Amino acid sequence: MKEISINDVISIQIIGSTGKLKSLDFMLPVSTAYGIFYSRMSMIKNPLGVELILKNKERIYLDASRDFTYHPKETVKELNTLISSFDPKVRKTDTLQ
C-alpha cells in the first residue's frame, strides 16, 4: 500500500464505462468452473478504474472493476466523490452518471 498526497497528483481520470453492466451468457449446464470464474469474467467485461499521474510522471491505476461489478451505484457515487475532491484543473473526467 502506498500513500499518495493529493498535492502530488497532476492528473486524474476515470477509465472505463459506467453504463449498463454487460452480462455474461449462461452455459447450460452451468459448470463449477464457470461458477467460480463468473465474477472474474464479469469484471473483465466491465473494466473501470482511476488513473492518477503524479508530479514525478508516475502513473497509478486503481482498479474499481470488482466494486462496480458487485455494487455499481455505490461505486459510481464513491468515484464521483473522489473526482470532486480534486481541483478542476487536475480532473480529466467529469463526474459520472
Coordinates of all heavy atoms in Angstrom, one line a residue:
M1 N 0.8 -1.2 0.0 CA 0.0 0.0 0.0 C 0.9 1.2 0.0 O 2.0 1.3 0.6 CB -0.9 0.0 1.2 CG -1.8 -1.2 1.2 SD -3.4 -1.2 2.0 CE -4.0 0.4 1.9
K2 N 0.4 2.2 -0.7 CA 1.2 3.5 -0.8 C 0.3 4.6 -0.5 O -0.9 4.7 -1.0 CB 1.7 3.5 -2.3 CG 2.5 4.7 -2.5 CD 3.1 4.6 -4.0 CE 3.9 5.8 -4.3 NZ 4.5 5.8 -5.6
E3 N 0.8 5.6 0.2 CA 0.0 6.8 0.5 C 0.4 7.8 -0.6 O 1.6 8.0 -0.9 CB 0.4 7.3 1.9 CG -0.5 8.5 2.3 CD -0.2 8.9 3.7 OE1 -0.1 8.0 4.6 OE2 0.0 10.1 3.9
I4 N -0.6 8.5 -1.1 CA -0.4 9.5 -2.2 C -1.0 10.8 -1.7 O -2.1 10.9 -1.3 CB -1.1 9.0 -3.5 CG1 -0.6 7.7 -3.9 CG2 -0.9 10.1 -4.6 CD1 -1.4 7.0 -5.0
S5 N -0.1 11.8 -1.8 CA -0.6 13.1 -1.4 C -1.4 13.7 -2.6 O -1.1 13.6 -3.7 CB 0.6 14.1 -1.1 OG 0.1 15.4 -1.0
I6 N -2.6 14.3 -2.2 CA -3.4 14.9 -3.2 C -2.7 16.0 -4.0 O -2.9 16.3 -5.2 CB -4.7 15.5 -2.6 CG1 -5.8 15.7 -3.7 CG2 -4.5 16.7 -1.8 CD1 -7.2 16.0 -3.1
N7 N -1.7 16.6 -3.3 CA -0.9 17.7 -4.0 C 0.1 17.2 -5.0 O 0.6 17.9 -5.8 CB -0.1 18.5 -2.9 CG -1.1 19.2 -2.0 OD1 -2.1 19.7 -2.4 ND2 -0.7 19.2 -0.7
D8 N 0.4 15.8 -5.0 CA 1.3 15.2 -5.9 C 0.6 14.8 -7.2 O 1.3 14.5 -8.2 CB 2.0 14.0 -5.3 CG 3.0 14.4 -4.2 OD1 3.4 15.5 -4.2 OD2 3.3 13.5 -3.4
V9 N -0.7 14.9 -7.3 CA -1.5 14.4 -8.4 C -1.6 15.6 -9.4 O -2.1 16.7 -9.1 CB -2.9 13.9 -8.0 CG1 -3.7 13.5 -9.2 CG2 -2.7 12.7 -7.0
I10 N -1.1 15.4 -10.6 CA -1.3 16.4 -11.7 C -2.4 16.1 -12.6 O -2.8 16.9 -13.4 CB 0.0 16.7 -12.4 CG1 0.5 15.4 -13.1 CG2 1.1 17.2 -11.5 CD1 1.7 15.7 -14.1
S11 N -2.9 14.8 -12.6 CA -4.0 14.4 -13.5 C -4.7 13.2 -12.9 O -4.1 12.3 -12.3 CB -3.4 14.0 -14.9 OG -4.4 13.5 -15.7
I12 N -6.0 13.3 -13.0 CA -6.9 12.2 -12.5 C -8.0 12.0 -13.6 O -8.6 12.9 -14.0 CB -7.4 12.4 -11.1 CG1 -8.3 11.2 -10.7 CG2 -8.2 13.7 -11.0 CD1 -8.7 11.2 -9.2
Q13 N -8.2 10.7 -13.9 CA -9.3 10.4 -14.9 C -9.8 9.0 -14.6 O -9.1 8.2 -14.1 CB -8.8 10.6 -16.3 CG -7.9 9.5 -16.8 CD -7.6 9.8 -18.3 OE1 -8.4 10.3 -19.0 NE2 -6.4 9.3 -18.7
I14 N -11.1 8.9 -14.9 CA -11.8 7.6 -14.8 C -11.6 6.9 -16.2 O -11.9 7.5 -17.2 CB -13.2 7.7 -14.4 CG1 -13.3 8.3 -13.0 CG2 -13.9 6.4 -14.5 CD1 -14.6 8.6 -12.5
I15 N -11.2 5.7 -16.2 CA -11.1 4.9 -17.4 C -12.0 3.8 -17.4 O -12.1 3.0 -16.4 CB -9.6 4.4 -17.6 CG1 -8.7 5.6 -17.6 CG2 -9.5 3.5 -18.8 CD1 -7.2 5.3 -17.6
G16 N -12.8 3.6 -18.4 CA -13.8 2.6 -18.5 C -15.2 3.1 -18.7 O -15.4 4.3 -18.9
S17 N -16.2 2.2 -18.6 CA -17.5 2.6 -18.8 C -18.4 2.3 -17.6 O -18.2 1.3 -17.0 CB -18.1 1.8 -20.0 OG -19.5 2.1 -20.1
T18 N -19.3 3.3 -17.3 CA -20.2 3.0 -16.2 C -21.6 2.9 -16.7 O -22.6 3.1 -15.9 CB -20.1 4.2 -15.1 OG1 -20.4 5.4 -15.9 CG2 -18.8 4.3 -14.5
G19 N -21.7 2.6 -17.9 CA -23.1 2.4 -18.5 C -23.6 1.1 -18.0 O -23.2 0.5 -16.9
K20 N -24.6 0.5 -18.6 CA -25.2 -0.7 -18.2 C -24.2 -1.8 -18.2 O -23.4 -2.0 -19.1 CB -26.3 -1.1 -19.2 CG -27.1 -2.3 -18.8 CD -28.2 -2.6 -19.8 CE -28.9 -3.8 -19.3 NZ -29.9 -4.3 -20.3
L21 N -24.2 -2.6 -17.1 CA -23.3 -3.7 -16.9 C -23.5 -4.7 -18.0 O -24.7 -5.1 -18.4 CB -23.5 -4.4 -15.6 CG -23.0 -3.7 -14.3 CD1 -23.4 -4.4 -13.1 CD2 -21.5 -3.7 -14.4
K22 N -22.4 -5.1 -18.7 CA -22.5 -6.1 -19.7 C -22.7 -7.5 -19.0 O -21.8 -7.9 -18.2 CB -21.3 -6.1 -20.6 CG -21.2 -4.8 -21.3 CD -19.9 -4.8 -22.1 CE -19.7 -3.4 -22.7 NZ -18.4 -2.8 -22.5
S23 N -23.7 -8.2 -19.3 CA -23.9 -9.5 -18.7 C -23.2 -10.6 -19.5 O -22.8 -10.4 -20.6 CB -25.4 -9.8 -18.6 OG -26.0 -9.9 -19.9
L24 N -23.1 -11.7 -18.9 CA -22.5 -12.9 -19.5 C -23.5 -13.9 -19.8 O -24.5 -14.0 -19.1 CB -21.5 -13.5 -18.5 CG -20.3 -12.6 -18.1 CD1 -19.5 -13.3 -17.0 CD2 -19.4 -12.3 -19.3
D25 N -23.3 -14.6 -20.9 CA -24.2 -15.7 -21.3 C -24.1 -16.8 -20.3 O -22.9 -17.1 -19.9 CB -24.0 -16.2 -22.7 CG -24.2 -15.1 -23.7 OD1 -25.1 -14.3 -23.5 OD2 -23.5 -15.1 -24.7
F26 N -25.1 -17.5 -19.9 CA -25.1 -18.7 -19.1 C -24.9 -19.9 -19.9 O -25.5 -20.0 -21.0 CB -26.3 -18.8 -18.2 CG -26.4 -17.8 -17.1 CD1 -27.2 -16.6 -17.3 CD2 -25.7 -17.9 -16.0 CE1 -27.3 -15.7 -16.3 CE2 -25.7 -17.0 -15.0 CZ -26.5 -15.8 -15.1
M27 N -24.0 -20.8 -19.4 CA -23.8 -22.0 -20.1 C -24.7 -23.1 -19.4 O -24.8 -23.1 -18.2 CB -22.4 -22.5 -20.0 CG -21.4 -21.5 -20.6 SD -19.7 -21.8 -20.2 CE -19.4 -23.5 -20.6
L28 N -25.4 -23.8 -20.2 CA -26.2 -24.9 -19.6 C -25.6 -26.3 -20.0 O -25.3 -26.5 -21.2 CB -27.6 -24.8 -20.2 CG -28.4 -23.6 -19.7 CD1 -29.8 -23.6 -20.4 CD2 -28.6 -23.6 -18.2
P29 N -25.4 -27.1 -19.1 CA -25.5 -26.9 -17.7 C -24.3 -26.0 -17.2 O -23.3 -26.1 -17.8 CB -25.4 -28.3 -17.1 CG -24.6 -29.1 -18.1 CD -24.9 -28.5 -19.4
V30 N -24.6 -25.3 -16.1 CA -23.5 -24.4 -15.6 C -22.5 -25.3 -14.9 O -22.8 -26.1 -14.0 CB -24.1 -23.4 -14.6 CG1 -23.1 -22.6 -13.9 CG2 -25.1 -22.5 -15.3
S31 N -21.3 -25.2 -15.3 CA -20.2 -26.0 -14.7 C -19.7 -25.3 -13.5 O -19.9 -24.1 -13.3 CB -19.1 -26.1 -15.7 OG -18.4 -24.9 -15.9
T32 N -19.0 -26.0 -12.6 CA -18.4 -25.5 -11.4 C -17.4 -24.4 -11.8 O -17.3 -23.4 -11.2 CB -17.8 -26.6 -10.6 OG1 -18.8 -27.6 -10.3 CG2 -17.2 -26.1 -9.3
A33 N -16.6 -24.7 -12.8 CA -15.5 -23.8 -13.2 C -16.1 -22.5 -13.6 O -15.6 -21.4 -13.3 CB -14.7 -24.4 -14.3
Y34 N -17.2 -22.5 -14.4 CA -17.9 -21.3 -14.8 C -18.4 -20.5 -13.7 O -18.2 -19.3 -13.6 CB -19.0 -21.7 -15.8 CG -19.6 -20.5 -16.5 CD1 -19.0 -19.9 -17.5 CD2 -20.9 -20.0 -16.0 CE1 -19.6 -18.8 -18.1 CE2 -21.5 -18.9 -16.7 CZ -20.8 -18.3 -17.7 OH -21.4 -17.2 -18.3
G35 N -18.9 -21.2 -12.7 CA -19.4 -20.5 -11.5 C -18.3 -19.8 -10.7 O -18.5 -18.7 -10.2
I36 N -17.2 -20.5 -10.6 CA -16.0 -19.9 -9.9 C -15.5 -18.7 -10.6 O -15.2 -17.7 -10.0 CB -14.9 -21.0 -9.8 CG1 -15.4 -22.1 -8.8 CG2 -13.6 -20.3 -9.3 CD1 -14.5 -23.3 -8.8
F37 N -15.5 -18.7 -11.9 CA -14.9 -17.6 -12.7 C -15.9 -16.6 -13.2 O -15.5 -15.6 -13.8 CB -14.0 -18.1 -13.9 CG -12.8 -18.9 -13.4 CD1 -12.8 -20.3 -13.6 CD2 -11.8 -18.3 -12.8 CE1 -11.7 -21.0 -13.2 CE2 -10.7 -19.0 -12.4 CZ -10.6 -20.4 -12.6
Y38 N -17.1 -16.7 -12.9 CA -18.2 -15.8 -13.4 C -17.9 -14.4 -13.0 O -17.9 -13.5 -13.8 CB -19.6 -16.3 -12.9 CG -20.7 -15.4 -13.4 CD1 -21.2 -15.6 -14.7 CD2 -21.2 -14.3 -12.6 CE1 -22.2 -14.7 -15.1 CE2 -22.1 -13.5 -13.1 CZ -22.7 -13.7 -14.4 OH -23.6 -12.9 -14.8
S39 N -17.6 -14.2 -11.7 CA -17.4 -12.8 -11.3 C -16.1 -12.2 -11.9 O -16.1 -11.0 -12.3 CB -17.3 -12.7 -9.7 OG -16.2 -13.4 -9.2
R40 N -15.1 -13.0 -12.0 CA -13.8 -12.5 -12.7 C -14.1 -12.1 -14.1 O -13.7 -11.1 -14.6 CB -12.8 -13.6 -12.6 CG -11.5 -13.3 -13.3 CD -10.8 -12.0 -12.9 NE -10.1 -12.2 -11.6 CZ -9.7 -11.2 -10.9 NH1 -9.7 -10.0 -11.3 NH2 -9.1 -11.5 -9.7
M41 N -14.8 -13.0 -14.8 CA -15.1 -12.7 -16.2 C -16.0 -11.4 -16.3 O -15.9 -10.6 -17.3 CB -15.8 -13.9 -16.9 CG -14.8 -15.0 -17.1 SD -15.5 -16.4 -18.0 CE -16.8 -17.0 -16.9
S42 N -16.9 -11.2 -15.4 CA -17.8 -10.0 -15.4 C -16.9 -8.8 -15.2 O -17.2 -7.8 -15.8 CB -18.8 -10.2 -14.3 OG -19.6 -9.0 -14.3
M43 N -15.9 -8.9 -14.3 CA -15.0 -7.7 -14.1 C -14.2 -7.4 -15.4 O -13.9 -6.3 -15.7 CB -14.1 -8.0 -13.0 CG -14.8 -8.0 -11.6 SD -13.6 -8.2 -10.3 CE -13.9 -9.9 -9.9
I44 N -13.8 -8.5 -16.1 CA -13.1 -8.2 -17.4 C -14.0 -7.6 -18.4 O -13.5 -6.7 -19.1 CB -12.5 -9.6 -17.9 CG1 -11.4 -10.1 -16.9 CG2 -12.0 -9.5 -19.3 CD1 -11.0 -11.5 -17.2
K45 N -15.2 -7.9 -18.5 CA -16.1 -7.3 -19.4 C -16.6 -5.9 -19.1 O -17.1 -5.2 -19.9 CB -17.4 -8.2 -19.6 CG -17.2 -9.5 -20.5 CD -18.4 -10.2 -20.8 CE -19.0 -9.5 -22.0 NZ -20.1 -10.3 -22.6
N46 N -16.4 -5.6 -17.8 CA -16.8 -4.3 -17.3 C -15.7 -3.5 -16.6 O -15.7 -3.2 -15.4 CB -18.0 -4.4 -16.3 CG -19.2 -5.0 -17.0 OD1 -19.9 -4.4 -17.8 ND2 -19.5 -6.3 -16.6
P47 N -14.6 -3.3 -17.4 CA -13.4 -2.6 -16.7 C -13.7 -1.2 -16.3 O -14.4 -0.5 -17.0 CB -12.4 -2.7 -17.8 CG -13.1 -2.7 -19.1 CD -14.4 -3.4 -18.8
L48 N -13.2 -0.8 -15.1 CA -13.4 0.5 -14.6 C -12.3 0.8 -13.6 O -12.0 0.0 -12.8 CB -14.8 0.7 -14.0 CG -15.1 2.0 -13.4 CD1 -15.3 3.1 -14.5 CD2 -16.4 2.0 -12.6
G49 N -11.7 2.0 -13.7 CA -10.7 2.3 -12.8 C -10.4 3.8 -12.8 O -10.9 4.5 -13.6
V50 N -9.4 4.2 -12.0 CA -9.0 5.6 -11.9 C -7.5 5.6 -12.2 O -6.7 4.8 -11.6 CB -9.3 6.1 -10.5 CG1 -8.7 7.6 -10.4 CG2 -10.7 6.1 -10.2
E51 N -7.1 6.5 -13.1 CA -5.7 6.7 -13.4 C -5.2 8.0 -12.8 O -5.8 9.0 -13.1 CB -5.4 6.6 -14.9 CG -3.9 6.8 -15.2 CD -3.6 6.8 -16.7 OE1 -4.1 7.8 -17.3 OE2 -2.9 6.0 -17.1
L52 N -4.2 7.9 -12.0 CA -3.5 9.1 -11.4 C -2.2 9.3 -12.1 O -1.5 8.3 -12.3 CB -3.3 8.9 -9.9 CG -4.5 8.6 -9.1 CD1 -4.0 8.2 -7.7 CD2 -5.5 9.8 -9.0
I53 N -1.8 10.5 -12.4 CA -0.5 10.8 -12.9 C 0.1 11.8 -11.9 O -0.5 12.8 -11.5 CB -0.5 11.5 -14.3 CG1 -1.1 10.5 -15.3 CG2 1.0 11.8 -14.7 CD1 -1.2 11.0 -16.7
L54 N 1.2 11.4 -11.3 CA 1.9 12.2 -10.3 C 2.9 13.2 -10.8 O 3.3 13.1 -12.0 CB 2.5 11.3 -9.3 CG 1.7 10.2 -8.7 CD1 2.4 9.3 -7.7 CD2 0.4 10.7 -8.0
K55 N 3.3 14.1 -10.0 CA 4.3 15.1 -10.4 C 5.6 14.5 -11.0 O 6.2 15.0 -11.9 CB 4.7 16.0 -9.3 CG 3.6 17.0 -8.9 CD 4.0 17.9 -7.8 CE 2.9 18.8 -7.4 NZ 3.2 19.6 -6.2
N56 N 6.0 13.3 -10.4 CA 7.2 12.6 -10.9 C 6.9 11.8 -12.1 O 7.8 10.9 -12.5 CB 7.8 11.8 -9.8 CG 6.9 10.6 -9.4 OD1 5.8 10.4 -9.9 ND2 7.3 9.9 -8.4
K57 N 5.8 12.0 -12.8 CA 5.4 11.3 -14.0 C 5.0 9.8 -13.8 O 4.7 9.1 -14.7 CB 6.4 11.3 -15.1 CG 6.9 12.7 -15.4 CD 5.7 13.6 -16.0 CE 6.2 15.0 -16.3 NZ 5.2 16.0 -16.3
E58 N 4.9 9.4 -12.5 CA 4.5 8.0 -12.2 C 3.0 7.9 -12.5 O 2.2 8.8 -12.1 CB 4.8 7.7 -10.8 CG 4.3 6.3 -10.4 CD 4.6 6.0 -8.9 OE1 5.1 6.9 -8.2 OE2 4.3 4.9 -8.5
R59 N 2.6 6.8 -13.1 CA 1.1 6.6 -13.4 C 0.7 5.5 -12.5 O 1.3 4.4 -12.4 CB 0.9 6.1 -14.8 CG 1.1 7.2 -15.9 CD 0.9 6.6 -17.3 NE 1.1 7.7 -18.2 CZ 0.1 8.4 -18.8 NH1 -1.1 8.1 -18.5 NH2 0.4 9.3 -19.7
I60 N -0.4 5.7 -11.8 CA -1.0 4.7 -10.9 C -2.4 4.4 -11.3 O -3.2 5.4 -11.5 CB -1.0 5.3 -9.4 CG1 0.5 5.5 -9.0 CG2 -1.7 4.3 -8.5 CD1 0.6 6.2 -7.7
Y61 N -2.7 3.1 -11.5 CA -4.1 2.7 -11.9 C -4.7 2.0 -10.7 O -4.2 1.1 -10.1 CB -4.0 1.8 -13.1 CG -5.4 1.4 -13.6 CD1 -6.2 2.2 -14.3 CD2 -5.9 0.1 -13.3 CE1 -7.4 1.9 -14.7 CE2 -7.1 -0.3 -13.7 CZ -7.9 0.6 -14.4 OH -9.2 0.2 -14.8
L62 N -5.9 2.6 -10.3 CA -6.7 2.0 -9.2 C -7.9 1.3 -9.8 O -8.8 2.0 -10.3 CB -7.1 3.1 -8.2 CG -6.0 4.0 -7.7 CD1 -6.6 5.2 -6.9 CD2 -5.0 3.2 -6.8
D63 N -7.9 0.0 -9.8 CA -9.0 -0.8 -10.4 C -10.2 -0.8 -9.5 O -10.2 -1.2 -8.3 CB -8.5 -2.2 -10.6 CG -9.4 -3.0 -11.5 OD1 -10.6 -2.7 -11.6 OD2 -8.9 -4.0 -12.1
A64 N -11.4 -0.4 -10.1 CA -12.6 -0.4 -9.4 C -13.6 -1.4 -10.0 O -14.8 -1.4 -9.7 CB -13.2 1.0 -9.4
S65 N -13.1 -2.3 -10.9 CA -14.0 -3.2 -11.6 C -14.8 -4.2 -10.7 O -15.9 -4.4 -10.9 CB -13.1 -4.1 -12.6 OG -12.5 -3.3 -13.5
R66 N -14.1 -4.7 -9.7 CA -14.8 -5.6 -8.8 C -15.9 -4.9 -8.0 O -17.0 -5.4 -8.0 CB -13.8 -6.2 -7.8 CG -14.4 -7.2 -6.9 CD -13.4 -7.8 -5.9 NE -14.0 -8.8 -5.1 CZ -14.8 -8.6 -4.0 NH1 -15.1 -7.3 -3.7 NH2 -15.3 -9.6 -3.3
D67 N -15.6 -3.7 -7.5 CA -16.6 -3.0 -6.8 C -17.8 -2.6 -7.7 O -19.0 -2.7 -7.3 CB -16.0 -1.7 -6.2 CG -15.0 -2.0 -5.2 OD1 -15.1 -3.0 -4.5 OD2 -14.1 -1.2 -5.0
F68 N -17.5 -2.2 -9.0 CA -18.5 -1.8 -9.9 C -19.4 -3.0 -10.3 O -20.6 -2.9 -10.4 CB -17.9 -1.2 -11.2 CG -18.9 -0.7 -12.1 CD1 -19.8 0.3 -11.8 CD2 -19.0 -1.2 -13.4 CE1 -20.8 0.8 -12.7 CE2 -20.0 -0.8 -14.3 CZ -20.9 0.2 -13.9
T69 N -18.8 -4.2 -10.4 CA -19.5 -5.4 -10.7 C -20.5 -5.8 -9.7 O -21.6 -6.1 -9.9 CB -18.5 -6.6 -11.0 OG1 -17.7 -6.3 -12.1 CG2 -19.2 -7.9 -11.2
Y70 N -20.1 -5.7 -8.4 CA -21.0 -6.1 -7.3 C -21.9 -5.0 -6.8 O -23.0 -5.2 -6.3 CB -20.1 -6.6 -6.1 CG -19.5 -8.0 -6.4 CD1 -18.2 -8.1 -6.7 CD2 -20.3 -9.1 -6.4 CE1 -17.6 -9.3 -6.9 CE2 -19.8 -10.3 -6.7 CZ -18.4 -10.5 -7.0 OH -17.9 -11.7 -7.2
H71 N -21.4 -3.7 -6.8 CA -22.2 -2.6 -6.3 C -22.0 -1.4 -7.2 O -21.4 -0.4 -6.9 CB -21.7 -2.2 -4.9 CG -21.6 -3.4 -3.9 ND1 -22.7 -3.9 -3.4 CD2 -20.6 -4.1 -3.5 CE1 -22.4 -4.9 -2.6 NE2 -21.1 -5.1 -2.7
P72 N -22.7 -1.4 -8.4 CA -22.5 -0.3 -9.4 C -22.9 1.1 -8.9 O -22.1 2.0 -9.1 CB -23.3 -0.8 -10.6 CG -24.2 -1.9 -10.1 CD -23.6 -2.4 -8.9
K73 N -24.0 1.2 -8.2 CA -24.5 2.5 -7.8 C -23.5 3.1 -6.8 O -23.2 4.3 -6.8 CB -25.9 2.5 -7.3 CG -26.9 2.2 -8.4 CD -28.3 2.1 -7.8 CE -29.3 1.8 -8.9 NZ -30.6 1.6 -8.4
E74 N -23.2 2.3 -5.8 CA -22.3 2.8 -4.7 C -20.9 3.2 -5.3 O -20.3 4.1 -4.8 CB -22.2 1.8 -3.6 CG -23.4 1.5 -2.8 CD -24.4 0.5 -3.5 OE1 -24.1 0.0 -4.6 OE2 -25.4 0.1 -2.9
T75 N -20.4 2.4 -6.2 CA -19.1 2.6 -6.8 C -19.1 3.9 -7.6 O -18.2 4.7 -7.4 CB -18.7 1.5 -7.7 OG1 -18.7 0.3 -6.9 CG2 -17.3 1.7 -8.3
V76 N -20.1 4.2 -8.4 CA -20.2 5.4 -9.1 C -20.3 6.6 -8.1 O -19.6 7.6 -8.3 CB -21.4 5.4 -10.0 CG1 -21.7 6.8 -10.6 CG2 -21.2 4.5 -11.2
K77 N -21.0 6.5 -7.1 CA -21.1 7.5 -6.0 C -19.7 7.8 -5.4 O -19.3 9.0 -5.3 CB -22.1 7.1 -5.0 CG -22.3 8.1 -3.9 CD -23.3 7.7 -2.8 CE -23.3 8.6 -1.7 NZ -24.2 8.2 -0.6
E78 N -19.0 6.8 -5.1 CA -17.7 6.9 -4.5 C -16.7 7.5 -5.5 O -15.8 8.4 -5.1 CB -17.1 5.6 -3.9 CG -17.9 5.1 -2.8 CD -17.8 6.0 -1.5 OE1 -16.8 6.6 -1.3 OE2 -18.8 6.0 -0.8
L79 N -16.7 7.1 -6.7 CA -15.8 7.7 -7.8 C -16.1 9.1 -8.0 O -15.2 9.9 -8.1 CB -15.9 6.9 -9.1 CG -15.3 5.5 -9.1 CD1 -15.6 4.8 -10.4 CD2 -13.8 5.5 -8.8
N80 N -17.4 9.5 -7.9 CA -17.8 10.9 -8.1 C -17.2 11.7 -6.9 O -16.7 12.9 -7.1 CB -19.3 11.1 -8.2 CG -19.8 10.8 -9.5 OD1 -19.1 10.8 -10.5 ND2 -21.0 10.4 -9.6
T81 N -17.3 11.2 -5.7 CA -16.7 11.8 -4.5 C -15.2 12.0 -4.7 O -14.7 13.1 -4.4 CB -17.0 11.0 -3.2 OG1 -18.4 10.9 -3.1 CG2 -16.4 11.7 -2.0
L82 N -14.5 11.0 -5.2 CA -13.1 11.1 -5.4 C -12.8 12.1 -6.4 O -11.9 13.0 -6.2 CB -12.6 9.7 -5.8 CG -11.1 9.7 -6.2 CD1 -10.2 10.0 -5.0 CD2 -10.7 8.4 -6.9
I83 N -13.4 12.1 -7.6 CA -13.1 13.1 -8.6 C -13.4 14.5 -8.1 O -12.7 15.4 -8.4 CB -14.0 12.8 -9.9 CG1 -13.5 11.5 -10.5 CG2 -14.0 13.9 -10.9 CD1 -12.1 11.6 -11.2
S84 N -14.5 14.7 -7.4 CA -14.9 16.0 -6.9 C -13.9 16.6 -5.9 O -13.9 17.8 -5.7 CB -16.3 16.0 -6.3 OG -17.2 15.6 -7.3
S85 N -13.1 15.7 -5.3 CA -12.2 16.2 -4.3 C -10.9 16.9 -4.9 O -10.2 17.5 -4.2 CB -11.8 15.1 -3.3 OG -11.0 14.1 -4.0
F86 N -10.8 16.7 -6.2 CA -9.6 17.3 -6.9 C -10.0 18.6 -7.6 O -11.1 18.8 -8.0 CB -9.1 16.3 -7.9 CG -8.3 15.2 -7.4 CD1 -9.0 14.1 -6.9 CD2 -6.9 15.3 -7.2 CE1 -8.2 13.0 -6.4 CE2 -6.2 14.2 -6.7 CZ -6.9 13.1 -6.2
D87 N -9.0 19.5 -7.7 CA -9.2 20.7 -8.4 C -9.6 20.5 -9.8 O -9.1 19.5 -10.5 CB -7.8 21.5 -8.4 CG -7.9 22.9 -8.9 OD1 -8.3 23.0 -10.1 OD2 -7.5 23.8 -8.2
P88 N -10.5 21.2 -10.4 CA -11.0 21.0 -11.7 C -9.9 21.0 -12.8 O -10.0 20.4 -13.8 CB -12.0 22.2 -12.0 CG -12.5 22.6 -10.6 CD -11.3 22.3 -9.7
K89 N -8.8 21.7 -12.5 CA -7.7 21.8 -13.5 C -7.0 20.4 -13.6 O -6.3 20.1 -14.6 CB -6.6 22.8 -13.0 CG -7.2 24.2 -13.0 CD -6.1 25.2 -12.5 CE -6.7 26.6 -12.3 NZ -5.8 27.4 -11.5
V90 N -7.1 19.6 -12.5 CA -6.4 18.3 -12.5 C -7.3 17.2 -13.1 O -6.9 16.3 -13.6 CB -6.1 18.0 -11.0 CG1 -5.5 16.6 -10.8 CG2 -5.1 19.0 -10.4
R91 N -8.6 17.4 -13.0 CA -9.6 16.4 -13.5 C -9.6 16.3 -15.0 O -9.8 17.3 -15.7 CB -11.0 16.8 -13.0 CG -11.2 16.7 -11.5 CD -12.7 17.0 -11.2 NE -12.8 17.9 -10.2 CZ -13.8 18.8 -10.0 NH1 -14.8 18.8 -10.8 NH2 -13.7 19.6 -8.9
K92 N -9.5 15.1 -15.5 CA -9.6 14.9 -16.9 C -11.0 14.2 -17.2 O -11.2 13.9 -18.4 CB -8.5 14.0 -17.4 CG -7.1 14.5 -17.1 CD -6.9 15.9 -17.8 CE -5.5 16.4 -17.5 NZ -5.4 17.8 -17.6
T93 N -11.8 14.0 -16.2 CA -13.0 13.3 -16.3 C -14.1 14.1 -15.5 O -13.8 14.5 -14.4 CB -13.0 11.9 -15.8 OG1 -11.9 11.2 -16.4 CG2 -14.3 11.1 -16.1
D94 N -15.2 14.3 -16.1 CA -16.3 14.8 -15.3 C -16.9 13.8 -14.4 O -16.6 12.6 -14.5 CB -17.4 15.3 -16.2 CG -17.0 16.6 -17.0 OD1 -16.2 17.4 -16.5 OD2 -17.4 16.7 -18.2
T95 N -17.8 14.2 -13.5 CA -18.5 13.2 -12.6 C -19.3 12.3 -13.5 O -19.7 12.6 -14.6 CB -19.3 13.9 -11.6 OG1 -20.2 14.8 -12.2 CG2 -18.5 14.7 -10.6
L96 N -19.6 11.1 -12.9 CA -20.3 10.0 -13.7 C -21.8 10.1 -13.5 O -22.2 10.7 -12.5 CB -19.7 8.7 -13.2 CG -18.2 8.5 -13.3 CD1 -17.8 7.2 -12.6 CD2 -17.8 8.5 -14.7
Q97 N -22.5 9.5 -14.4 CA -23.9 9.5 -14.3 C -24.4 8.2 -13.6 O -23.9 7.2 -13.7 CB -24.6 9.5 -15.7 CG -24.2 10.8 -16.4 CD -24.5 12.1 -15.7 OE1 -25.6 12.2 -15.2 NE2 -23.7 13.0 -15.7

